[in-house]
Amino acid sequence: MEKLIVKGGTRLEGTVPVSGCKNAVLPIAVAAAILSDSVSVLHNVPNLTDVATLRAVLEELGATTKLKDTMLYIEPVNHIAYEAPYDLVRKMRASIYVLGPLVAKLGRAKVSFPGGCAIGPRPIDLHIQGLESLGAQVQVEKGYIFAQAERLVGTEMYLMGQHGPSVGATANVMMAATLAEGTTVIRGAAREPHISDLAQFLNAMGANIEGIGTSVLTIHGVKQLRGTEHNVISDDIEAGTFMVAAAITNGDVYVEGITPQQLPAVSEKLVEAGVELDWDDKGVRVTTPRQLKAVDVNTVPFPGFPTDMQAQMMGLLCLASGTSVITENVHTDRFIHAAELNRMGADLMLDGRKVVINGVSHLSGAPVMASDLRAGAVLVAAGMAAAGETVVSRVYHIDRGYEAIEKKLNSIGADIIRVNDDGEDL
Ligand code: UD1
């Protein structure tokens, strides 16, 4: 297994480009491969292991995919298979995105039931409830979800769970509804920028979705969707991670390829903490001229503060003066990184779904372990700010969602090397 050795005490300076959004490209590629009748070409596709895993799922179903640099070519097949097996789905929960499109296109689907993960139980009841509302019969047996329907039929539904809207269920049901008979109204829909990007892609394929970017999506079913060309939106979370990395190293970094509309709450909280953000039409310059201040953060669905930035913000607040409280309302068990940050000298106390952060003057390098992809990112960021060397293991989590993280950070002044278990440079 590979590790990252992060030399601390570096200051980031320069321009770093943001790649395409992982959470947009996954459902978009599914729609292109299953719902469409002809070839699609996606641009600005990040080279991530999650994208490779999804391509394996789509190829297992019978599609042909080719990735060249940042361009992903997807050719659907007429005789697509309807089963997504355990061995593939267990590698990536987002494989559940094939469920709705398969039922809509083929009238049946057999998809392995995704398990829990390091950030909590992550149920899929809303995905199932939404498809049942469209008339699918859904059963769970022997670890698989079986869904079938002669043709899905549009309806009105409220798709909200106890923690608010669901990104995954909104995407799954919206994709299915594009080919349903009649009109579907999804109330309580997720509003994340990647959901809007998916909806825009579906409309370019010939779907008829109204209310994009709002919590009420109206989807008028069509008979057929065709392939199209699409530029995937940039990754808000990668951009936010670079903004935190700039701030935690007292750097001066231009994060290129992001708009303030994609990251409203993160921008607001960084400014509240004392980080200076200077936006223009291509990106944002991040500088941190003074001591950071403590702030309280509540994670909530978009446009609130994203759970996927919680770990990185926690790392930053470790070095702010005063006491901050982070409350995690989306993935309520998502705190494994807190214990790793404490190993680096942070003063964090876990209390249910809250973490109390007493700011410290410095962190010190230590061997630490990435437990999920964002937890991995904060350890790299904290490692850059810490005194001495931090060795981050289980880097495969980071590679799921960050393209060439050490190359991008080294290009703006970090000192990070990737080694294998034998300590050889890679
Ligand atoms: C997506 C993102 C993930 C992000 C999350 C929240 C992808 C591939 N992943 O995950 O990075 O952290 O959105 O922004 O896009 N819930 C239910 N029942 C369901 C589905 C969800 O109760 O059927 C709950 C979840 O447990 C969680 C909340 O709803 O508490 C939000 O989850 P959801 O938005 O569905 O997250 P994902 O789509 O899995």
Side-chain angles (χ1 to χ4, degrees):
M1 267 195 281
E2 294 172 8
K3 296 175 181 172
L4 293 177
I5 301 182
V6 184
K7 197 168 152 207
T10 51
R11 179 172 186 266
L12 298 186
E13 218 171 353
T15 296
V16 66
V18 180
S19 297
C21 177
K22 168 180 92 73
N23 289 347
V25 79
L26 298 177
I28 287 174
V30 167
I34 301 175
L35 293 174
S36 163
D37 287 336
S38 53
V39 170
S40 288
V41 178
L42 308 180
H43 300 280
N44 200 30
V45 172
N47 194 350
L48 305 169
T49 51
D50 266 10
V51 172
T53 305
L54 185 76
R55 288 177 62 203
V57 171
L58 299 178
E59 291 189 356
E60 175 78 19
L61 292 171
T64 302
T65 72
K66 283 180 214 149
L67 181 66
K68 190 170 183 296
D69 301 324
T70 60
M71 191 182 86
L72 181 61
Y73 165 97
I74 300 177
E75 186 180 343
V77 284
N78 292 332
H79 304 291
I80 207 154
Y82 69 97
E83 179 176 341
Y86 175 68
D87 269 355
L88 287 170
V89 176
R90 76 184 166 82
K91 290 190 188 158
M92 188 181 65
R93 294 182 47 85
S95 310
I96 190 70
Y97 280 146
V98 304
L99 182 65
L102 282 176
V103 196
K105 187 71 189 272
L106 300 182
R108 60 179 177 162
K110 177 182 174 189
V111 178
S112 176
F113 197 103
C117 67
I119 62 175
R122 303 186 77 180
I124 54 156
D125 55 311
L126 294 171
H127 300 238
I128 293 175
Q129 182 193 310
L131 294 175
E132 283 178 338
S133 302
L134 293 175
Q137 288 178 333
V138 185
Q139 277 173 326
V140 179
E141 254 175 49
K142 298 182 182 161
Y144 277 83
I145 308 156
F146 294 81
Q148 59 176 24
E150 221 156 84
R151 184 160 181 212
L152 297 174
V153 180
T155 185
E156 275 204 45
M157 65 178 86
Y158 184 65
L159 204 60
M160 183 87 92
Q162 56 168 328
H163 301 298
S166 159
V167 168
T170 302
N172 223 335
V173 176
M174 174 170 69
M175 287 191 279
T178 57
L179 290 179
E181 194 181 325
T183 296
T184 301
V185 179
I186 304 177
R187 296 187 191 281
R191 291 188 282 160
E192 270 68 4
H194 41 279
I195 290 290
S196 301
D197 202 33
L198 169 65
Q200 265 143 12
F201 175 73
L202 291 165
N203 275 355
M205 288 208 308
N208 185 351
I209 303 171
E210 293 166 5
I212 296 176
T214 75
S215 57
V216 183
L217 293 170
T218 303
I219 305 140
H220 304 286
V222 297
K223 287 219 163 65
Q224 207 180 6
L225 295 171
R226 56 183 180 274
T228 187
E229 213 164 324
H230 182 75
N231 211 16
V232 175
I233 193 175
S234 60
D235 197 311
D236 49 342
I237 305 299
E238 190 200 28
T241 304
F242 291 148
M243 288 160 80
V244 164
I248 204 171
T249 61
N250 281 303
D252 182 351
V253 173
Y254 185 72
V255 182
E256 186 176 45
I258 190 75
T259 64
Q261 292 77 20
Q262 288 172 268
L263 275 168
V266 172
S267 305
E268 196 184 304
K269 283 293 163 187
L270 287 176
V271 169
E272 204 181 315
V275 180
E276 284 189 6
L277 302 182
D278 187 7
W279 289 93
D280 62 27
D281 56 354
K282 292 205 180 67
V284 61
R285 181 176 170 199
V286 185
T287 46
T288 316
R290 50 205 156 96
Q291 171 70 44
L292 293 167
K293 292 176 286 199
V295 293
D296 292 342
V297 174
N298 276 297
T299 67
V300 275
F302 190 84
F305 194 95
T307 173
D308 287 353
M309 279 299 299
Q310 179 254 102
Q312 300 89 313
M313 195 68 187
M314 187 183 295
L316 185 66
L317 294 175
C318 287
L319 292 170
S321 67
T323 300
S324 310
V325 178
I326 293 187
T327 309
E328 175 56 70
N329 297 301
V330 180
H331 299 305
T332 45
D333 290 341
R334 189 175 209 176
F335 284 133
I336 299 177
H337 46 277
E340 299 299 292
L341 288 168
N342 275 346
R343 302 193 66 248
M344 298 178 72
D347 180 355
L348 307 179
M349 211 178 59
L350 184 58
D351 178 12
R353 61 168 69 176
K354 290 185 192 301
V355 169
V356 179
I357 305 163
N358 292 310
V360 294
S361 60
H362 68 281
L363 296 171
S364 53
V368 286
M369 204 181 279
S371 52
D372 73 66
L373 102 108
R374 309 303 170 188
V378 67
L379 298 175
V380 172
M384 290 188 293
E389 194 176 271
T390 296
V391 180
V392 183
S393 54
R394 302 204 175 165
V395 175
Y396 59 88
H397 284 298
I398 302 177
D399 294 335
R400 286 189 41 214
Y402 291 94
E403 180 173 328
I405 192 167
E406 75 275 24
K407 288 193 185 124
K408 283 195 179 185
L409 291 173
N410 286 345
S411 76
I412 49 171
D415 184 348
I416 305 172
I417 54 171
R418 186 180 285 253
V419 297
N420 64 20
D421 256 349
D422 304 324
E424 292 162 6
D425 287 14
L426 293 172

Short mmCIF file of all heavy atoms in Angstrom, two decimals, residues 212-243:
data_model
loop_
_atom_site.label_atom_id
_atom_site.label_comp_id
_atom_site.label_asym_id
_atom_site.label_seq_id
_atom_site.Cartn_x
_atom_site.Cartn_y
_atom_site.Cartn_z
N ILE A 212 -34.33 23.21 -12.23
CA ILE A 212 -32.93 22.85 -11.94
C ILE A 212 -32.33 23.84 -10.95
O ILE A 212 -32.47 25.05 -11.12
CB ILE A 212 -32.11 22.80 -13.26
CG1 ILE A 212 -32.65 21.71 -14.18
CG2 ILE A 212 -30.63 22.58 -12.97
CD1 ILE A 212 -31.98 21.63 -15.53
N GLY A 213 -31.69 23.31 -9.91
CA GLY A 213 -31.07 24.17 -8.90
C GLY A 213 -32.02 24.52 -7.76
O GLY A 213 -31.64 25.18 -6.81
N THR A 214 -33.29 24.06 -7.86
CA THR A 214 -34.24 24.32 -6.77
C THR A 214 -34.60 22.99 -6.10
O THR A 214 -34.18 21.92 -6.56
CB THR A 214 -35.55 24.96 -7.28
OG1 THR A 214 -36.33 23.94 -7.95
CG2 THR A 214 -35.29 26.09 -8.27
N SER A 215 -35.40 23.06 -5.03
CA SER A 215 -35.74 21.82 -4.33
C SER A 215 -36.99 21.15 -4.90
O SER A 215 -37.47 20.15 -4.37
CB SER A 215 -35.93 22.11 -2.84
OG SER A 215 -36.92 23.09 -2.70
N VAL A 216 -37.54 21.72 -5.99
CA VAL A 216 -38.67 21.05 -6.66
C VAL A 216 -38.28 20.81 -8.12
O VAL A 216 -38.16 21.74 -8.92
CB VAL A 216 -39.95 21.91 -6.61
CG1 VAL A 216 -41.12 21.16 -7.25
CG2 VAL A 216 -40.31 22.26 -5.17
N LEU A 217 -38.07 19.55 -8.46
CA LEU A 217 -37.71 19.20 -9.84
C LEU A 217 -38.94 18.63 -10.53
O LEU A 217 -39.61 17.73 -9.99
CB LEU A 217 -36.58 18.15 -9.85
CG LEU A 217 -35.23 18.62 -9.32
CD1 LEU A 217 -34.27 17.43 -9.15
CD2 LEU A 217 -34.62 19.67 -10.25
N THR A 218 -39.24 19.16 -11.70
CA THR A 218 -40.36 18.64 -12.48
C THR A 218 -39.79 17.99 -13.73
O THR A 218 -39.07 18.64 -14.50
CB THR A 218 -41.33 19.78 -12.87
OG1 THR A 218 -41.75 20.41 -11.66
CG2 THR A 218 -42.55 19.26 -13.61
N ILE A 219 -40.09 16.71 -13.89
CA ILE A 219 -39.47 15.95 -14.98
C ILE A 219 -40.58 15.41 -15.88
O ILE A 219 -41.36 14.55 -15.47
CB ILE A 219 -38.65 14.77 -14.40
CG1 ILE A 219 -37.62 15.32 -13.38
CG2 ILE A 219 -37.93 13.98 -15.50
CD1 ILE A 219 -37.47 14.48 -12.17
N HIS A 220 -40.65 15.94 -17.09
CA HIS A 220 -41.64 15.44 -18.05
C HIS A 220 -40.98 14.27 -18.80
O HIS A 220 -39.96 14.47 -19.46
CB HIS A 220 -42.04 16.55 -19.03
CG HIS A 220 -42.56 17.79 -18.33
ND1 HIS A 220 -43.80 17.84 -17.74
CD2 HIS A 220 -41.98 18.99 -18.10
CE1 HIS A 220 -43.97 19.02 -17.18
NE2 HIS A 220 -42.88 19.74 -17.38
N GLY A 221 -41.56 13.10 -18.67
CA GLY A 221 -40.94 11.91 -19.27
C GLY A 221 -40.88 11.98 -20.80
O GLY A 221 -41.76 12.56 -21.44
N VAL A 222 -39.83 11.43 -21.37
CA VAL A 222 -39.69 11.35 -22.83
C VAL A 222 -39.47 9.87 -23.20
O VAL A 222 -39.19 9.04 -22.34
CB VAL A 222 -38.52 12.22 -23.34
CG1 VAL A 222 -38.77 13.70 -23.06
CG2 VAL A 222 -37.19 11.78 -22.74
N LYS A 223 -39.58 9.57 -24.49
CA LYS A 223 -39.48 8.15 -24.90
C LYS A 223 -38.03 7.71 -25.07
O LYS A 223 -37.70 6.54 -24.93
CB LYS A 223 -40.23 7.97 -26.22
CG LYS A 223 -41.74 8.01 -26.04
CD LYS A 223 -42.40 6.97 -26.96
CE LYS A 223 -43.82 6.68 -26.55
NZ LYS A 223 -44.72 7.82 -26.71
N GLN A 224 -37.16 8.66 -25.41
CA GLN A 224 -35.82 8.27 -25.81
C GLN A 224 -34.82 9.37 -25.47
O GLN A 224 -35.16 10.55 -25.54
CB GLN A 224 -35.84 8.12 -27.33
CG GLN A 224 -34.84 7.16 -27.86
CD GLN A 224 -34.93 7.08 -29.38
OE1 GLN A 224 -35.68 7.84 -30.01
NE2 GLN A 224 -34.18 6.19 -29.96
N LEU A 225 -33.62 8.97 -25.12
CA LEU A 225 -32.57 9.96 -24.90
C LEU A 225 -31.39 9.65 -25.82
O LEU A 225 -31.10 8.48 -26.08
CB LEU A 225 -32.11 9.93 -23.44
CG LEU A 225 -33.17 10.34 -22.40
CD1 LEU A 225 -32.67 10.07 -20.99
CD2 LEU A 225 -33.53 11.82 -22.55
N ARG A 226 -30.74 10.70 -26.31
CA ARG A 226 -29.61 10.47 -27.22
C ARG A 226 -28.31 10.98 -26.58
O ARG A 226 -28.34 11.84 -25.68
CB ARG A 226 -29.85 11.22 -28.54
CG ARG A 226 -30.06 12.68 -28.31
CD ARG A 226 -30.37 13.53 -29.51
NE ARG A 226 -30.53 14.89 -29.03
CZ ARG A 226 -31.64 15.41 -28.55
NH1 ARG A 226 -32.76 14.69 -28.52
NH2 ARG A 226 -31.68 16.65 -28.09
N GLY A 227 -27.18 10.47 -27.07
CA GLY A 227 -25.87 10.89 -26.56
C GLY A 227 -25.61 12.36 -26.84
O GLY A 227 -26.22 12.95 -27.74
N THR A 228 -24.70 12.93 -26.07
CA THR A 228 -24.37 14.35 -26.26
C THR A 228 -22.95 14.59 -25.78
O THR A 228 -22.27 13.68 -25.31
CB THR A 228 -25.39 15.23 -25.50
OG1 THR A 228 -25.15 16.59 -25.83
CG2 THR A 228 -25.29 15.06 -24.00
N GLU A 229 -22.50 15.84 -25.92
CA GLU A 229 -21.17 16.21 -25.46
C GLU A 229 -21.36 17.14 -24.27
O GLU A 229 -22.25 18.00 -24.30
CB GLU A 229 -20.46 16.93 -26.61
CG GLU A 229 -18.99 16.67 -26.61
CD GLU A 229 -18.32 17.04 -27.93
OE1 GLU A 229 -18.94 16.85 -29.00
OE2 GLU A 229 -17.17 17.50 -27.86
N HIS A 230 -20.52 17.00 -23.25
CA HIS A 230 -20.76 17.80 -22.04
C HIS A 230 -19.44 18.10 -21.34
O HIS A 230 -18.57 17.24 -21.24
CB HIS A 230 -21.68 17.01 -21.10
CG HIS A 230 -22.05 17.72 -19.84
ND1 HIS A 230 -22.97 18.75 -19.81
CD2 HIS A 230 -21.61 17.57 -18.56
CE1 HIS A 230 -23.09 19.19 -18.56
NE2 HIS A 230 -22.27 18.48 -17.79
N ASN A 231 -19.36 19.31 -20.82
CA ASN A 231 -18.21 19.74 -20.04
C ASN A 231 -18.57 19.62 -18.56
O ASN A 231 -19.43 20.37 -18.09
CB ASN A 231 -17.95 21.21 -20.40
CG ASN A 231 -16.48 21.53 -20.30
OD1 ASN A 231 -15.63 20.64 -20.26
ND2 ASN A 231 -16.17 22.80 -20.25
N VAL A 232 -17.95 18.69 -17.86
CA VAL A 232 -18.32 18.44 -16.46
C VAL A 232 -17.91 19.65 -15.60
O VAL A 232 -16.83 20.22 -15.78
CB VAL A 232 -17.63 17.16 -15.93
CG1 VAL A 232 -17.91 16.96 -14.45
CG2 VAL A 232 -18.08 15.95 -16.74
N ILE A 233 -18.78 20.04 -14.68
CA ILE A 233 -18.54 21.16 -13.77
C ILE A 233 -17.28 20.89 -12.93
O ILE A 233 -16.92 19.74 -12.71
CB ILE A 233 -19.80 21.32 -12.86
CG1 ILE A 233 -19.80 22.61 -12.10
CG2 ILE A 233 -19.91 20.16 -11.90
CD1 ILE A 233 -21.09 22.81 -11.30
N SER A 234 -16.64 21.96 -12.46
CA SER A 234 -15.42 21.77 -11.66
C SER A 234 -15.77 21.30 -10.24
O SER A 234 -16.90 21.46 -9.78
CB SER A 234 -14.61 23.06 -11.60
OG SER A 234 -15.38 24.07 -11.01
N ASP A 235 -14.78 20.73 -9.57
CA ASP A 235 -15.02 20.06 -8.29
C ASP A 235 -14.96 21.06 -7.13
O ASP A 235 -13.87 21.52 -6.76
CB ASP A 235 -14.00 18.94 -8.10
CG ASP A 235 -14.44 17.96 -7.04
OD1 ASP A 235 -14.82 18.41 -5.94
OD2 ASP A 235 -14.44 16.75 -7.30
N ASP A 236 -16.12 21.37 -6.57
CA ASP A 236 -16.19 22.33 -5.46
C ASP A 236 -15.39 21.85 -4.26
O ASP A 236 -14.76 22.64 -3.55
CB ASP A 236 -17.66 22.59 -5.07
CG ASP A 236 -18.46 21.31 -4.88
OD1 ASP A 236 -18.04 20.25 -5.35
OD2 ASP A 236 -19.53 21.37 -4.23
N ILE A 237 -15.41 20.55 -4.00
CA ILE A 237 -14.74 20.05 -2.79
C ILE A 237 -13.21 20.04 -2.97
O ILE A 237 -12.46 20.36 -2.05
CB ILE A 237 -15.26 18.65 -2.41
CG1 ILE A 237 -16.80 18.68 -2.27
CG2 ILE A 237 -14.60 18.15 -1.13
CD1 ILE A 237 -17.34 19.62 -1.21
N GLU A 238 -12.77 19.71 -4.19
CA GLU A 238 -11.31 19.80 -4.42
C GLU A 238 -10.87 21.26 -4.27
O GLU A 238 -9.86 21.56 -3.63
CB GLU A 238 -10.95 19.28 -5.82
CG GLU A 238 -9.44 19.14 -6.00
CD GLU A 238 -8.98 19.11 -7.45
OE1 GLU A 238 -9.65 19.68 -8.33
OE2 GLU A 238 -7.91 18.52 -7.71
N ALA A 239 -11.68 22.17 -4.84
CA ALA A 239 -11.34 23.60 -4.73
C ALA A 239 -11.32 24.03 -3.26
O ALA A 239 -10.38 24.70 -2.81
CB ALA A 239 -12.37 24.44 -5.51
N GLY A 240 -12.33 23.64 -2.51
CA GLY A 240 -12.39 24.00 -1.09
C GLY A 240 -11.20 23.42 -0.33
O GLY A 240 -10.66 24.07 0.58
N THR A 241 -10.78 22.22 -0.70
CA THR A 241 -9.63 21.61 -0.04
C THR A 241 -8.36 22.43 -0.31
O THR A 241 -7.55 22.67 0.59
CB THR A 241 -9.44 20.15 -0.54
OG1 THR A 241 -10.66 19.45 -0.31
CG2 THR A 241 -8.31 19.45 0.18
N PHE A 242 -8.20 22.90 -1.55
CA PHE A 242 -7.03 23.73 -1.86
C PHE A 242 -7.10 25.06 -1.12
O PHE A 242 -6.08 25.61 -0.69
CB PHE A 242 -6.92 23.99 -3.37
CG PHE A 242 -6.56 22.76 -4.17
CD1 PHE A 242 -7.03 22.58 -5.47
CD2 PHE A 242 -5.73 21.78 -3.64
CE1 PHE A 242 -6.70 21.46 -6.21
CE2 PHE A 242 -5.40 20.64 -4.37
CZ PHE A 242 -5.89 20.49 -5.66
N MET A 243 -8.32 25.59 -0.96
CA MET A 243 -8.46 26.86 -0.23
C MET A 243 -8.01 26.68 1.23
O MET A 243 -7.29 27.50 1.79
CB MET A 243 -9.91 27.35 -0.31
CG MET A 243 -10.27 27.85 -1.71
SD MET A 243 -12.06 27.89 -2.04
CE MET A 243 -12.55 29.38 -1.21
#
